[in-house]
Amino acid sequence: MMTNFPFIGRTKELAQLERWHAEGRTHFIVLHGKRRVGKTALARRFLAGKGGIYYMADRTSANDQIKLFSELVGQHFQDEFLLSRGFGSWLEAFRYLKGRARGLVLVIDEFPYLVESDPALSSVFQKGFDEHWHDSGIFLILTGSSIGMMETEVLGVKAPLYGRRTGQIRLDMLPFASARLFYPTWGPEDALRAFGTLGGTPAYLLQFSAARSYKENVLQAMLSTNTYLFEEPDFLLREELREPRNYFAILRALALGKAKLSEIQNETGFERSTLSKYISILQSLRMVERLVPVTERQPEKSKRGHYRITDPFLRFWFAFIFPNRNYLEQELLDFVWEQRIAPRLDQFLGTTFEDVCMSYLREVGYRQHPYVLEHLGRFWDRETEVDMVAFDDARNHLLLAECKWSRNAVGIDVLDSLKSKTLAVTRELGYTPSTIRHAIFSRSGFSKELQALKGEVTLIGLEQMTQPE
């Protein structure tokens, strides 16, 4: 779908593939992750210069699949006989490659599409790998976007190919520091707005242009009904689910701020058992996540769990596009922007800013301290909320942090409020650590009075959180 796809980030994943390849032995690598996240770009970048074979499966017949694969293999080995007759079966392809596999890199992209064309194919691949490739020296990469299918056919304990893989990489969304590189001329505020709108999915980030303003991008790339992003959630849910309409209702409730199970139930009208089943499926697809206070000792049993949409793009779409589709179908784009999006945008982006701050603290902040904070997350009880709390198992260190996506510089009152919440956290922990620190993250900087108290609080501005991985 994409051409001239920029390769941004993914340095860790690429380095891991190179380390495995340098071992010079048989490898079966599974590369999986949600659609559009950049699996193909990573596989192609790794394959570049290695002279391997790249095969993209498609939704076509089993006969067409093996025919195309035969052509690619015949071209690679310059085998005129193979080009003229092709493989009669996938097992024949396994046998053919057995004596030619040493050092060969073979990428089969979107393996689930192969299985769709022939449900027995996973078992065929198991037999072929076991009999012909297990010690052949091949470097095989299977990729897949269908989370359900990859679990059923490759990753799950009952999957035919379970136990064959020698390594796997789950490709997640790009972090903010990498995603902002798609718009190198933008300031950090607009970059964060884009991240809060599109998330870290490369294919979505490519839909915005750095030559346009954030507002112009939203109008042209998201609100217009003939755009790719306008229909994307429909496509995603229909690819994975049989009853997308029911899941739409749940995601809409979450976008409205209904976080507790009882609130979602009241909004959707589903029976509790049915709702729990639907939410569990959305969690397995990584579209929804369950959050509990970081201080909970048994998170899975916590009664304080809150649910939310995982992907910023889906959060934005269900908050602003889904409920306004009637207006957008009438091409009232400016009305939707001025009346429905702009007044709520800063409040909406607060969640994304908290996520970015959390990632920064996890990836960068930890390395700046001589101690390790094993636990990091949000905290809340009936009376108190703290954006971020981090502590160690040794009970020596505790950090409380607030994240302010405000147009105004943060003042001393925010620090005073943060300090006042410390008791609620230590009471929940059941002890008082020897060292307690406070930090404030801010979009718009800090007042002079607060800056004068740097010895009491760590102050981190948005500009500091924009270094690429």
Side-chain angles (χ1 to χ4, degrees):
M1 184 180 116
M2 297 292 175
T3 57
N4 299 320
F5 199 109
F7 191 79
I8 293 174
R10 309 305 188 200
T11 54
K12 296 176 183 177
E13 294 87 351
L14 185 59
Q16 180 60 69
L17 288 172
E18 294 291 357
R19 284 194 294 270
W20 282 327
H21 184 253
E23 293 174 2
R25 62 184 181 89
T26 300
H27 268 293
F28 178 177
I29 308 301
V30 177
L31 178 59
H32 62 115
K34 56 169 279 190
R35 298 181 191 280
R36 330 293 196 203
V37 81
K39 299 180 296 299
T40 296
L42 175 60
R44 284 187 173 278
R45 174 56 62 98
F46 170 72
L47 190 61
K50 293 183 172 62
I53 300 173
Y54 172 86
Y55 172 68
M56 168 66 84
D58 201 352
R59 280 197 161 118
T60 186
S61 68
N63 184 62
D64 286 343
Q65 301 272 23
I66 190 66
K67 180 179 179 181
L68 176 57
F69 185 74
S70 300
E71 291 176 2
L72 292 172
V73 174
Q75 291 168 4
H76 180 81
F77 291 106
Q78 299 182 346
D79 186 329
E80 294 296 333
F81 182 71
L82 179 59
L83 285 169
S84 64
R85 65 175 291 274
F87 295 122
S89 68
W90 283 97
L91 281 178
E92 186 179 333
F94 276 93
R95 287 193 294 270
Y96 177 90
L97 288 172
K98 179 178 182 179
R100 301 169 173 83
R102 183 69 55 186
L104 174 67
V105 178
L106 171 60
V107 177
I108 299 180
D109 205 349
E110 289 298 356
F111 180 70
Y113 287 163
L114 276 182
V115 179
E116 282 185 11
S117 69
D118 182 357
L121 204 55
S122 291
S123 297
V124 172
F125 265 68
Q126 173 197 336
K127 179 182 174 88
F129 190 87
D130 290 348
E131 293 184 1
H132 302 292
W133 285 3
H134 73 281
D135 61 352
S136 66
I138 198 170
F139 195 95
L140 172 65
I141 299 177
L142 293 188
T143 87
S145 299
S146 173
I147 295 173
M149 185 79 79
M150 289 298 285
E151 287 290 336
T152 302
E153 304 296 334
V154 182
L155 297 170
V157 175
K158 296 181 179 180
L161 288 169
Y162 180 78
R164 273 73 184 173
R165 68 184 184 274
T166 58
Q168 70 182 57
I169 294 176
R170 191 183 88 184
L171 213 57
D172 292 316
M173 294 186 298
L174 290 169
F176 169 62
S178 294
R180 74 158 305 199
L181 298 179
F182 280 77
Y183 321 111
T185 60
W186 283 11
E189 287 193 24
D190 276 339
L192 190 132
R193 289 187 185 97
F195 187 70
T197 303
L198 302 169
T201 301
Y204 301 164
L205 292 163
L206 284 170
Q207 304 305 309
F208 276 20
S209 168
R212 298 194 295 258
S213 69
Y214 168 76
K215 174 185 173 181
E216 290 170 338
N217 275 299
V218 171
L219 290 169
Q220 295 183 35
M222 297 197 72
L223 303 189
S224 178
T225 58
N226 60 1
T227 61
Y228 154 57
L229 294 178
F230 186 85
E231 300 289 349
E232 176 69 355
D234 284 284
F235 172 81
L236 290 176
L237 268 68
R238 293 182 192 283
E239 281 285 291
E240 296 281 1
L241 303 167
R242 293 181 179 178
E243 301 174 316
R245 185 169 36 184
N246 294 333
Y247 297 93
F248 265 68
I250 294 170
L251 292 168
R252 173 59 181 150
L254 292 169
L256 288 171
K258 311 301 181 183
K260 299 178 182 178
L261 202 60
S262 59
E263 295 172 340
I264 304 169
Q265 184 179 7
N266 290 337
E267 183 66 27
T268 61
F270 292 133
E271 294 291 335
R272 193 175 185 89
S273 59
T274 301
L275 178 61
S276 297
K277 180 189 73 173
Y278 286 154
I279 288 181
S280 177
I281 292 172
L282 288 171
Q283 286 180 278
S284 70
L285 296 175
R286 304 188 190 102
M287 292 183 179
V288 168
E289 60 185 338
R290 181 174 181 265
L291 303 176
V292 300
V294 68
T295 52
E296 290 285 79
R297 292 175 176 81
Q298 293 181 302
E300 66 283 352
K301 296 182 179 180
S302 175
K303 296 182 179 180
R304 291 192 280 176
H306 287 177
Y307 294 92
R308 73 164 188 170
I309 299 173
T310 309
D311 186 348
F313 167 71
L314 289 179
R315 286 204 297 264
F316 186 95
W317 195 90
F318 278 97
F320 297 121
I321 296 179
F322 184 65
N324 292 301
R325 286 199 291 186
N326 284 337
Y327 295 119
L328 296 173
E329 293 285 355
Q330 299 174 59
E331 300 185 359
L332 298 175
L333 279 62
D334 289 318
F335 168 79
V336 171
W337 171 263
E338 297 294 343
Q339 301 298 321
R340 301 303 180 93
I341 298 178
R344 295 177 48 204
L345 188 59
D346 276 345
Q347 180 184 5
F348 171 83
L349 291 173
T351 298
T352 297
F353 186 54
E354 289 178 16
D355 291 342
V356 169
C357 295
M358 192 94 67
S359 296
Y360 175 84
L361 187 59
R362 183 180 291 112
E363 299 296 328
V364 178
Y366 281 9
R367 296 198 297 267
Q368 295 178 351
H369 298 291
Y371 52 86
V372 176
L373 296 170
E374 287 96 346
H375 306 281
L376 170 64
R378 294 170 173 82
F379 171 84
W380 65 88
D381 59 20
R382 290 184 177 180
E383 300 177 351
T384 307
E385 290 188 16
V386 184
D387 293 338
M388 284 193 290
V389 168
F391 56 93
D392 63 348
D393 288 327
R395 301 188 172 191
N396 293 325
H397 299 280
L398 172 65
L399 173 69
L400 286 77
E402 287 288 309
C403 310
K404 295 299 180 182
W405 183 255
S406 169
R407 296 175 183 271
N408 303 316
V410 174
I412 292 179
D413 60 316
V414 174
L415 176 59
D416 292 339
S417 174
L418 182 60
K419 288 182 176 180
S420 72
K421 299 174 181 179
T422 305
L423 179 60
V425 177
T426 56
R427 184 169 55 235
E428 188 78 17
L429 287 171
Y431 63 88
T432 301
S434 55
T435 302
I436 299 176
R437 290 177 169 81
H438 299 88
I440 299 174
F441 294 78
S442 172
R443 158 194 176 182
S444 304
F446 309 92
S447 69
K448 292 181 180 179
E449 293 78 10
L450 185 56
Q451 292 183 52
L453 298 177
K454 280 188 176 180
E456 299 181 29
V457 60
T458 300
L459 304 177
I460 303 169
L462 178 59
E463 192 70 44
Q464 291 177 244
M465 296 183 282
T466 57
Q467 297 303 312
E469 63 175 327

